Amino acid sequence: MSEALLSSVIQKLDNNYREYTLDEANKHETVSVLFLNKQMERVIKEMREIVDIVRDKKLEEGRSLNFLVSDLVDVAEDVIDLFKQRKSCTWLYESIHSWMGEIKKRMLKLGDDGAEMRSLENVDEEEDDKYPLVGVEEDVKMLIRKRIIDMGKSKNILIKGMPGVGKTTLAREIYNHPTVIKHFERRAWVSYSINLTIKELLIKLIQQVILIDLESFYKSSLLENMDNRSLRDMLCQHLQGKRYFIVLDDVPKQMHLKSFMRALPEQYNGSRLLLTSHTTHVDIYVGDGNVYKMKPLDSKKSWQLFLKTINHGNKLTGEHKFPKSLEYMGKQMLEKCGGLPLAIKEVGKQLAKKKVSGESEWEQLLESIDFGSTLKLLEPFYHKLDPKLESCFLSMAFFKENTTLRVEKLSQIWVIGGLVSKYNYRSYLNGLVNESVIEVKEKSTEYGMNPMLHMLSIQKAKEKLGFEILRNNGNNQPSESPRHHRVIICSRDKFNHSTDQDKHLVSLFFHGGGYLDTSPSYWKSFEQLKILDLEDFGLKILPESIGTLMELRYLGLRNNYIKELPESLGCLKKLEVLDIAQNFMVEVPDVIWELCSLLHLYLSDMICRKPFKIDVLWMLRTLTYISVDNWTYEISGIKKAMFLEKLGIEGLDGNSDVSKLFVSLAVLEDLKHLILRGYRFRSMPCLDEIGILHKLETLKLDGLLARLPRSFPPKIKSLTLIDSCLDEDPMPLLAEKLPKLECLKLRNAYTGQQMVILDDNFPELKVLHIEELWNLRNVQCGKGAMFRLKKLEIHDCPYLDTLPKAIQRMILLKEIMIVTTKSNAAKLKNLYLIPEIGFMNLNPLARTVRVVLYS
């Protein structure tokens, strides 16, 4: 029956396709026509492959098979409708193909009898209900008051965050809250299961909405024999005119939910659809203001949850209770949990099961904590990742735990390692952020990763990527298969190494401590090595034998104690990235000019034996930092740096010839990002002529300024002022000269007490970051100013204890982050103009606190 039904659907698709292509009015092969033809051909091909699966496996009719077939029929009807309406909507077709691909996988996993997989769990029967809740109480109140119970138009709300952070717990507390129960006429909850289909989703909702005997009705064949369209009509009919609250808990993004959404009446009576997910769903629109990003617990709440979990159920007393003297050790252990409630509870449950008496036994247990059970719980998250992001997720294993990941370094290692294309690395970064694998730190160019996800990436990289971690103590088990990526963790002991299978290595990362005594033969064994990273290693001498790495393309030496680079560096003809920044006064040999493939060069406080030859390194895209004297020494050669996109120049003072500098920069047609640094504590020269750099998009000025330039490049979108120490309020001039500014960051940039932003100023500004304005007491903001502002950050402005009332009118402003004194935090908390405080970090030992407020 299923095979016959699918065959008839294919015939229907084929008939519509033929009818359309034979239509005389559509003979002209426009882009839209070609797109629609291609999509229809792809759908028909995928349908035929699925029919072959049903036929080849000889699947008998079963509930799971019937549900999957119903979804395929529904998808086909959607495709036909789109085709008839001539809608060439790329994202909608991709959603359809994604769901068809998922259905195909499920078909392959079905037994010969079409046996069901496990069914949905009831929200009230989840194991988490047995354990204490910590850290969601304020979130529940805020979301109910400001997102759930307001009588605006219908809204979709997303609780987003990494796995195990407590999304389901928060949603469940909201769902079962007395206010919500009283407010909504109909409530329904559906959780993810491995066999969830659109049809089963509709059935589950109907069962809860109609309010009948669920068990008897579910066993009847009435609903299961209906097609998806009829189920949608039934659900829509029973929701019409009623205020409903529906929760979709962790529904996979592959599901074609556009079909489901048509079952929800288009009404504006305050009904709500709440989703929990680690990612956004393309089929359901959720505005920026309705995405609630859950964060891990802070150290205080983590410790509270840990103790509550240990004491839950077994009522430890007396000598069996967790000893106060081991609190520090326990908190250190909890740091590996990264504030993840799932991990904290798993650790607590491990300890609660042990019969412990005495401090020494507790100490032994803390040292032997196994995170394997937590990683097993997180494993489904890995399998739900977008397949194209898998290799990027696995590559996170290369880096240290809790390290700051720079966007430039990540993208370069991905590209050189062959994980992504150099043209689309940004989409992979955005994908990892969207799927809650990494999060953006305070600097938009820096990312962080939770320690538990980092552990998971290590575990999976060992299985999937040919990855290993070795220690230099020699106590390593030899790998049975060739390794392609390796991390070596070093101590101060003598470096012991083996050359077994080194010839297969593509990337090599050194972590740990500083002493690297290797023989020349060690480096010669790496025949295919492309990536060598020694950042933050404490290295003093880079071996001369480094020049034997003929295939090397990335050499990371940032933040070490290297005084001189070896002459053999010139042998690395394929080197594309050389990072020797943050090595104080490092001597760079003349052979650097022989690195003809160099694309990105990071320097600081370098000593060149000869003037810098920018014309020789003509392929450079990035150059930071070079002294202003080196840059302007031979201005005629600068024209050859035709691909330079990012440039950092340091050492500017009152004697610098900035006229010559800006004239030279103006010839660089691809230059988009410029950083200018002053010379230590000297004042930078007048920068009025910087306005001739018409193509510049981001500008950072780092150093003392007597005043701001009277003109700026007209296309500037991001401006950063650091240690400018301006006497005059910079806001009026910046608003006048930079109408397209989207991001403004001021750090120790203004010494005055009052800052004024006039009416309608900064119409495009989305991010405002103010830091270390030590004297600032008042910020005035006029009507219509910064009306597109989304994020406001204020750090270490000790006299600023209030915010402008204009914030109330900034409807797009959803996050305010403030790091200030405790007394100021208390005043800000009581401000009537701040709708809610979502998070406060009140560390009793800290002089300042971190406050995050959500509007």
Side-chain angles (χ1 to χ4, degrees):
M1 178 180 175
S2 295
E3 183 182 342
L5 182 57
L6 289 175
S7 296
S8 67
V9 168
I10 293 173
Q11 186 62 51
K12 189 175 180 181
L13 287 165
D14 196 53
N15 290 340
N16 276 271
Y17 175 57
R18 291 178 182 277
E19 180 182 345
Y20 177 68
T21 53
L22 292 174
D23 189 346
E24 291 298 327
N26 292 291
K27 286 295 183 182
H28 301 291
E29 293 189 346
T30 64
V31 173
S32 177
V33 170
L34 292 173
F35 174 82
L36 288 170
N37 288 346
K38 183 178 178 181
Q39 297 303 321
M40 181 61 90
E41 290 168 1
R42 184 178 170 187
V43 169
I44 293 172
K45 180 183 176 183
E46 289 174 341
M47 283 286 191
R48 286 175 175 157
E49 290 175 357
I50 292 173
V51 171
D52 290 341
I53 292 171
V54 175
R55 183 186 302 117
D56 294 344
K57 292 193 70 174
K58 298 179 181 179
L59 295 175
E60 296 182 13
E61 299 301 320
R63 182 171 175 272
S64 291
L65 177 62
N66 293 336
F67 278 24
L68 292 171
V69 169
S70 291
D71 276 21
L72 283 171
V73 173
D74 199 30
V75 164
E77 291 174 349
D78 277 356
V79 171
I80 291 171
D81 289 343
L82 287 170
F83 204 67
K84 286 181 177 180
Q85 297 170 30
R86 310 301 192 248
K87 286 188 177 179
S88 54
C89 187
T90 304
W91 68 265
L92 195 50
Y93 275 106
E94 285 306 312
S95 172
I96 289 169
H97 293 308
S98 177
W99 186 226
M100 290 182 71
E102 179 66 20
I103 290 174
K104 190 189 303 183
K105 290 179 184 177
R106 296 188 188 184
M107 290 273 195
L108 290 168
K109 292 179 181 178
L110 287 177
D112 291 340
D113 58 353
E116 294 184 35
M117 306 173 205
R118 68 177 176 87
S119 60
L120 302 175
E121 291 92 7
N122 188 294
V123 62
D124 297 321
E125 296 174 354
E126 291 188 8
E127 188 178 3
D128 271 351
D129 283 341
K130 303 173 185 177
Y131 289 91
L133 301 176
V134 171
V136 300
E137 298 83 358
E138 292 300 319
D139 296 333
V140 169
K141 293 178 184 177
M142 188 272 288
L143 281 170
I144 288 176
R145 184 160 61 249
K146 307 307 286 186
R147 297 289 182 267
I148 309 297
I149 311 295
D150 62 350
M151 295 303 294
K153 64 180 182 180
S154 294
K155 293 177 183 177
N156 303 322
I157 303 161
L158 173 63
I159 299 177
K160 185 174 181 286
M162 64 173 290
V165 78
K167 302 183 296 295
T168 300
T169 300
L170 176 59
R172 185 170 60 248
E173 291 296 301
I174 293 171
Y175 184 79
N176 291 323
H177 197 279
T179 304
V180 171
I181 294 173
K182 181 180 179 180
H183 184 74
F184 293 98
E185 301 170 72
R186 294 288 185 268
R187 292 183 309 132
W189 177 297
V190 178
S191 292
Y192 168 73
S193 72
I194 58 175
N195 68 325
L196 185 66
T197 61
I198 299 295
K199 182 168 185 174
E200 186 159 10
L201 172 61
L202 292 168
I203 289 174
K204 288 292 183 182
L205 291 174
I206 289 171
Q207 289 175 333
Q208 296 175 67
V209 165
I210 296 180
L211 303 176
I212 61 173
D213 182 353
L214 302 186
E215 185 176 357
S216 62
F217 196 67
Y218 187 68
K219 288 180 178 177
S220 72
S221 59
L222 175 62
L223 293 180
E224 293 191 12
N225 289 334
M226 295 172 65
D227 60 23
N228 287 22
R229 187 160 290 190
S230 300
L231 291 169
R232 280 200 305 269
D233 292 342
M234 177 184 287
L235 180 60
C236 185
Q237 179 183 350
H238 284 280
L239 291 177
Q240 194 69 48
K242 296 180 176 63
R243 188 159 59 239
Y244 58 82
F245 182 57
I246 293 174
V247 178
L248 302 184
D249 180 32
D250 198 27
V251 174
K253 66 177 182 180
Q254 294 90 345
M255 290 190 74
H256 181 51
L257 289 179
K258 195 70 175 178
S259 168
F260 155 74
M261 289 297 290
R262 292 199 294 272
L264 304 182
E266 292 185 4
Q267 56 191 25
Y268 301 92
N269 63 350
S271 294
R272 296 288 179 264
L273 174 63
L274 174 66
L275 299 95
T276 73
S277 179
H278 65 276
T279 185
T280 53
H281 203 300
V282 295
D283 289 336
I284 299 180
Y285 173 74
V286 179
D288 289 342
N290 289 328
V291 177
Y292 185 77
K293 297 178 182 178
M294 286 203 72
K295 301 292 185 182
L297 301 178
D298 61 24
S299 58
K300 183 179 179 181
K301 290 179 180 176
S302 294
W303 186 246
Q304 290 174 358
L305 179 59
F306 173 68
L307 290 180
K308 284 186 177 182
T309 306
I310 285 182
N311 294 324
H312 186 75
N314 57 4
K315 307 296 182 184
L316 297 177
T317 57
E319 70 274 12
H320 300 291
K321 199 168 185 180
F322 190 87
K324 181 75 173 176
S325 58
L326 291 181
E327 182 173 330
Y328 177 75
M329 183 178 178
K331 288 182 177 180
Q332 279 191 315
M333 179 273 298
L334 279 188
E335 287 182 5
K336 293 185 177 294
C337 296
L340 205 62
L342 176 72
I344 296 168
K345 289 179 182 181
E346 280 297 305
V347 169
K349 284 187 282 184
Q350 278 187 48
L351 296 176
K353 291 176 182 177
K354 307 291 185 180
K355 294 183 179 180
V356 185
S357 62
E359 183 174 318
S360 61
E361 291 187 36
W362 277 113
E363 187 172 353
Q364 291 175 9
L365 279 176
L366 288 176
E367 290 175 346
S368 61
I369 283 294
D370 179 19
F371 290 98
S373 59
T374 304
L375 296 181
K376 190 172 182 179
L377 291 172
L378 290 174
E379 192 163 337
F381 167 73
Y382 166 74
H383 293 296
K384 287 189 289 185
L385 282 177
D386 188 329
K388 74 176 185 179
L389 298 177
E390 181 182 13
S391 57
C392 294
F393 172 76
L394 298 178
S395 73
M396 295 299 168
F398 304 162
F399 306 101
K400 297 176 184 177
E401 180 184 301
N402 285 323
T403 193
T404 296
L405 303 166
R406 299 187 309 279
V407 59
E408 291 175 326
K409 181 175 181 177
L410 270 177
S411 60
Q412 289 158 4
I413 286 175
W414 286 349
V415 171
I416 292 173
L419 303 179
V420 305
S421 164
K422 64 180 178 180
Y423 301 108
N424 61 357
Y425 73 87
R426 180 64 66 177
S427 68
Y428 287 86
L429 275 169
N430 293 338
L432 290 181
V433 173
N434 185 48
E435 300 235 10
S436 304
V437 173
I438 58 178
E439 63 175 359
V440 181
K441 291 202 166 186
E442 291 181 7
K443 286 187 177 180
S444 59
T445 56
E446 295 179 345
Y447 299 89
M449 187 179 196
N450 188 276
M452 292 308 306
L453 285 187
H454 185 255
M455 282 189 204
L456 183 63
S457 71
I458 291 174
Q459 182 188 83
K460 292 302 173 184
K462 289 178 178 179
E463 298 173 9
K464 305 280 187 179
L465 206 62
F467 171 71
E468 66 181 359
I469 297 178
L470 301 181
R471 299 181 183 273
N472 75 328
N473 57 16
N475 298 324
N476 299 295
Q477 293 292 331
S479 57
E480 298 178 358
S481 57
R483 303 286 90 184
H484 302 289
H485 309 277
R486 178 183 295 167
V487 165
I488 297 179
I489 301 177
C490 295
S491 65
R492 295 289 177 180
D493 300 330
K494 183 177 180 180
F495 183 76
N496 296 312
H497 59 82
S498 169
T499 58
D500 293 341
Q501 300 176 359
D502 289 348
K503 64 181 180 180
H504 299 287
L505 277 183
V506 175
S507 60
L508 177 60
F509 295 76
F510 282 85
H511 299 170
Y515 183 68
L516 189 61
D517 181 17
T518 57
S519 63
S521 62
Y522 175 70
W523 298 106
K524 290 179 181 178
S525 65
F526 299 116
E527 298 176 6
Q528 302 299 322
L529 195 67
K530 294 181 180 179
I531 298 168
L532 176 60
D533 186 48
L534 290 142
E535 183 172 339
D536 300 327
F537 189 67
L539 191 66
K540 294 182 179 179
I541 299 175
L542 187 66
E544 185 73 30
S545 50
I546 202 78
T548 61
L549 303 176
M550 305 302 292
E551 297 297 319
L552 200 64
R553 295 171 59 187
Y554 179 98
L555 179 56
L557 303 171
R558 181 180 290 245
N559 195 27
N560 282 288
Y561 303 103
I562 300 171
K563 295 297 183 182
E564 183 179 4
L565 295 179
E567 295 282 344
S568 64
L569 196 71
C571 300
L572 307 180
K573 302 300 183 183
K574 295 184 179 181
L575 195 66
E576 296 178 11
V577 181
L578 176 59
D579 188 350
I580 52 176
Q582 298 177 27
N583 284 272
F584 183 67
M585 302 301 289
V586 59
E587 187 171 341
V588 180
D590 298 344
V591 294
I592 196 172
W593 319 128
E594 300 174 17
L595 303 178
C596 53
S597 300
L598 210 56
L599 301 177
H600 307 281
L601 178 58
Y602 303 95
L603 309 161
S604 58
D605 295 315
M606 69 170 181
I607 301 173
C608 287
R609 296 171 186 169
K610 294 182 179 179
F612 197 89
K613 300 178 181 178
I614 187 65
D615 57 325
V616 177
L617 302 177
W618 60 274
M619 291 182 65
L620 278 179
R621 268 70 170 172
T622 304
L623 174 58
T624 61
Y625 287 89
I626 179 175
S627 73
V628 64
D629 295 331
N630 268 323
W631 177 262
T632 56
Y633 181 80
E634 191 176 353
I635 198 168
S636 59
I638 292 174
K639 294 180 180 179
K640 296 183 180 180
M642 61 185 73
F643 302 116
L644 199 61
E645 298 174 357
K646 182 177 181 179
L647 175 64
I649 294 180
E650 61 185 2
L652 277 78
D653 62 14
N655 297 320
S656 301
D657 189 348
V658 289
S659 296
K660 186 177 181 182
L661 171 65
F662 293 140
V663 168
S664 69
L665 296 180
V667 304
L668 301 176
E669 295 188 359
D670 286 349
L671 187 64
K672 300 291 191 302
H673 316 285
L674 178 64
I675 307 169
L676 299 179
R677 277 183 177 175
Y679 185 80
R680 298 183 183 177
F681 300 106
R682 300 179 188 175
S683 183
M684 295 175 69
C686 175
L687 303 176
D688 286 346
E689 296 176 59
I690 198 171
I692 66 173
L693 307 181
H694 296 293
K695 296 185 178 181
L696 213 58
E697 294 179 2
T698 68
L699 174 63
K700 180 189 289 188
L701 302 179
D702 185 351
L704 288 169
L705 289 172
R707 60 173 177 81
L708 286 174
R710 297 306 183 200
S711 67
F712 280 91
K715 295 183 179 180
I716 291 289
K717 295 181 180 179
S718 177
L719 174 66
T720 302
L721 300 178
I722 300 176
D723 294 332
S724 305
C725 298
L726 296 164
D727 296 327
E728 184 180 353
D729 181 4
M731 291 311 205
L733 181 62
L734 293 179
E736 176 189 350
K737 301 297 182 181
L738 298 173
K740 297 181 180 180
L741 197 63
E742 296 179 4
C743 178
L744 176 60
K745 297 182 179 181
L746 306 175
R747 192 177 82 194
N748 192 26
Y750 173 48
T751 59
Q753 299 183 10
Q754 180 167 292
M755 183 177 287
V756 179
I757 303 170
L758 300 174
D759 292 354
D760 301 320
N761 279 186
F762 300 109
E764 303 295 330
L765 197 67
K766 297 175 183 176
V767 176
L768 176 59
H769 181 105
I770 299 173
E771 183 174 357
E772 297 178 12
L773 301 190
W774 305 110
N775 298 321
L776 187 65
R777 285 167 165 77
N778 182 34
V779 177
Q780 295 182 13
C781 191
K783 184 178 180 181
M786 303 188 297
F787 69 92
R788 285 193 172 90
L789 196 67
K790 293 183 177 181
K791 187 173 184 179
L792 172 63
E793 295 188 28
I794 301 174
H795 293 238
D796 299 318
C797 298
Y799 293 106
L800 188 64
D801 58 5
T802 187
L803 295 174
K805 293 183 179 180
I807 284 178
Q808 291 177 310
R809 299 189 293 269
M810 299 176 187
I811 59 175
L812 298 179
L813 180 60
K814 300 304 174 185
E815 184 175 349
I816 306 172
M817 183 183 298
I818 303 175
V819 178
T820 186
T821 62
K822 291 181 182 179
S823 59
N824 284 351
K827 293 178 182 178
L828 289 168
K829 183 178 180 180
N830 295 323
L831 282 180
Y832 69 91
L833 57 93
I834 302 297
E836 282 299 335
I837 292 188
F839 173 80
M840 288 191 69
N841 178 16
L842 295 173
N843 184 345
L845 300 179
R847 295 177 60 189
T848 61
V849 298
R850 172 185 170 98
V851 184
V852 179
L853 309 104
Y854 295 94
S855 64

